[in-house]
């Protein structure tokens, strides 16, 4: 979608004459509005006041979009194509057939990009698949708890028996069970610590993965893991402004060719390319 909006600005700046600044601004405004509306629809927001405050929509345009429900970002591209078609009918393009063909491709591709975005976001995974994953995670947690409980119980019982050995008339160094040696005692301690780590890390890890999958299923939300809408919108706005300015203010050679000068006359004042292959300033 970002690419098609940038392409729209370039095509409008190239094919529309300089006195059509309002039409160029309108096309750029519609592209940015579609980008904002795509985020808002994925977030479930129906408020258009922010776009009106930003100057991306008029009150009339907002009222028309309110009737479009979830298709607001797609409706804008119908306006873009309609505007191109009307301008072509009025002869405002030097090459109307080319401009209208490119406009059709951009508008329809951008509308498809919006639709595909919502398809990825709104299409849920099959319930049986999600249910199976949830059951496996919970069964794993239950078995980890049972296994850790059994092992911890045995280790605790051996430690308790070892502590009761002197009370039963045995010297601790002569009592051979349950700890036959210090190495045996160390092994029991290691097993105890290992099971405690398993008990408190494995279930938390798998449940955390389920929670993470739920949070990243819609990257257009407000969480810290989601796409930064404001940053993307600002970058797109700056990029479209730069594209429009660069296209409307080309280098000297292109300006002279646009004025109708022959190519030989336009390049007569230019020096030869430098060794690096570029033209000097």
């Amino acid at each position: 979608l970002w690419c098609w909006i940038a392409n729209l600005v370039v095509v409008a700046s190239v094919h529309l004459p300089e006195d059509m600044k309002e039409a160029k601004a309108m096309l750029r405004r519609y592209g940015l509005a579609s980008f904002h509306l795509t985020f808002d629809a994925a977030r479930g927001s129906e408020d258009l006041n922010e776009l009106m405050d930003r100057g991306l929509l008029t009150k009339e345009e907002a009222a028309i979009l309110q009737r479009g429900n979830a298709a607001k970002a797609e409706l804008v591209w119908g306006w873009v194509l309609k505007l191109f078609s009307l301008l072509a009918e009025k002869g405002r393009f030097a090459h109307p057939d080319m401009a209208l063909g490119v406009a059709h491709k951009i508008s329809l591709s951008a509308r498809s990009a919006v639709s595909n975005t919502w398809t990825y976001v709104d299409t849920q995974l099959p319930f049986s698949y999600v249910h199976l994953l949830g059951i496996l995670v919970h069964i794993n947690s239950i078995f980890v708890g049972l296994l850790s409980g059994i092992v911890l119980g045995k280790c605790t019982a051996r430690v308790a028996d070892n502590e009761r050995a002197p009370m039963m008339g045995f010297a601790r160094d002569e009592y051979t069970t349950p700890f036959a040696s210090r190495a045996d005692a160390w092994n029991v301690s290691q097993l105890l610590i290992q099971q405690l780590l398993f008990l408190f890390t494995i279930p938390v890890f798998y449940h955390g993965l389920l929670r993470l999958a739920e949070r990243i299923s819609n990257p257009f939300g407000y969480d810290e893991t989601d796409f930064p809408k404001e940053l993307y919108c600002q970058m797109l706005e700056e990029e479209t402004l730069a594209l429009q300015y660069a296209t409307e203010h080309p280098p000297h050679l292109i300006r002279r060719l646009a004025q109708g000068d022959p190519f030989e006359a336009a390049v007569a004042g230019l020096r030869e390319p430098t060794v690096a292959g570029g033209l000097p300033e």
Side-chain angles (χ1 to χ4, degrees):
L1 180 60
W2 186 314
C3 294
W4 290 120
I5 295 173
N7 292 341
L8 171 67
V9 173
V10 173
V11 171
S13 301
V14 170
H15 288 279
L16 288 175
E18 295 182 359
D19 60 343
M20 297 292 293
K21 293 183 178 180
E22 294 80 5
K24 296 178 184 179
M26 182 179 295
L27 291 170
R28 176 177 170 273
R29 181 165 58 85
Y30 285 163
L32 295 176
S34 176
F35 196 79
H36 279 268
L37 290 170
T38 302
F39 270 89
D40 294 341
R43 293 177 173 182
S45 175
E46 300 290 336
D47 187 16
L48 299 179
N49 292 324
E50 179 185 355
L51 296 183
M52 289 190 289
D53 294 338
R54 290 174 177 263
L56 299 179
L57 290 177
T58 64
K59 290 184 178 180
E60 179 188 7
E61 292 166 348
I64 297 174
L65 290 179
Q66 287 290 0
R67 306 172 186 173
N69 298 326
K72 295 182 178 63
E74 297 184 53
L75 295 180
V76 173
W77 291 102
W79 297 345
V80 171
L81 189 55
K82 184 65 175 179
L83 181 58
F84 264 97
S85 178
L86 293 175
L87 292 175
E89 291 179 1
K90 296 181 180 297
R92 300 313 302 262
F93 296 116
H95 306 283
D97 294 338
M98 179 189 301
L100 194 58
V102 174
H104 271 87
K105 181 178 181 180
I106 291 176
S107 301
L108 297 179
S109 299
R111 191 217 61 80
S112 298
V114 175
S115 179
N116 290 338
T117 300
W118 290 340
T119 299
Y120 286 123
V121 172
D122 295 337
T123 302
Q124 297 181 352
L125 292 174
F127 177 75
S128 57
Y129 175 72
V130 177
H131 190 58
L132 177 62
L133 288 180
I135 289 178
L136 290 177
V137 169
H138 288 85
I139 290 177
N140 176 75
S141 300
I142 292 174
F143 275 100
V144 168
L146 290 175
L147 178 61
S148 298
I150 294 172
V151 175
L152 289 174
K154 293 180 63 176
C155 293
T156 304
R158 296 187 66 183
V159 172
D161 290 342
N162 191 68
E163 293 296 329
R164 288 197 300 267
M167 301 178 184
M168 299 172 63
F170 295 96
R172 188 178 297 274
D173 56 353
E174 297 177 354
Y175 189 69
T176 57
T177 57
F179 295 155
S181 62
R182 289 188 177 182
D184 190 20
W186 175 244
N187 291 335
V188 172
S189 302
Q190 282 185 319
L191 188 59
L192 186 64
I193 296 173
Q194 180 184 16
Q195 291 302 318
L196 287 173
L197 290 175
F198 284 167
L199 181 62
F200 289 104
T201 57
I202 293 180
V204 173
F205 176 75
Y206 280 106
H207 282 273
L209 289 180
L210 284 180
R211 177 60 177 168
L212 180 62
E214 185 273 331
R215 295 189 65 175
I216 65 177
S217 60
N218 183 359
F220 293 92
Y222 299 94
D223 298 328
E224 62 275 5
T225 57
D226 295 331
F227 294 148
K229 174 191 173 184
E230 295 301 326
L231 176 60
Y232 285 178
C233 292
Q234 180 181 354
M235 292 173 61
L236 179 59
E237 184 173 355
E238 293 175 353
E239 179 179 331
T240 53
L241 281 175
L243 288 171
Q244 184 173 348
Y245 178 84
T247 307
E248 294 177 350
H249 299 82
H252 177 73
L253 172 61
I254 300 178
R255 290 200 305 271
R256 292 194 60 180
L257 290 174
Q259 294 171 0
D261 294 348
F263 181 78
E264 293 76 8
V267 300
L270 297 178
R271 291 181 293 171
E272 293 296 327
T274 60
V275 178
L279 290 173
E281 297 182 359

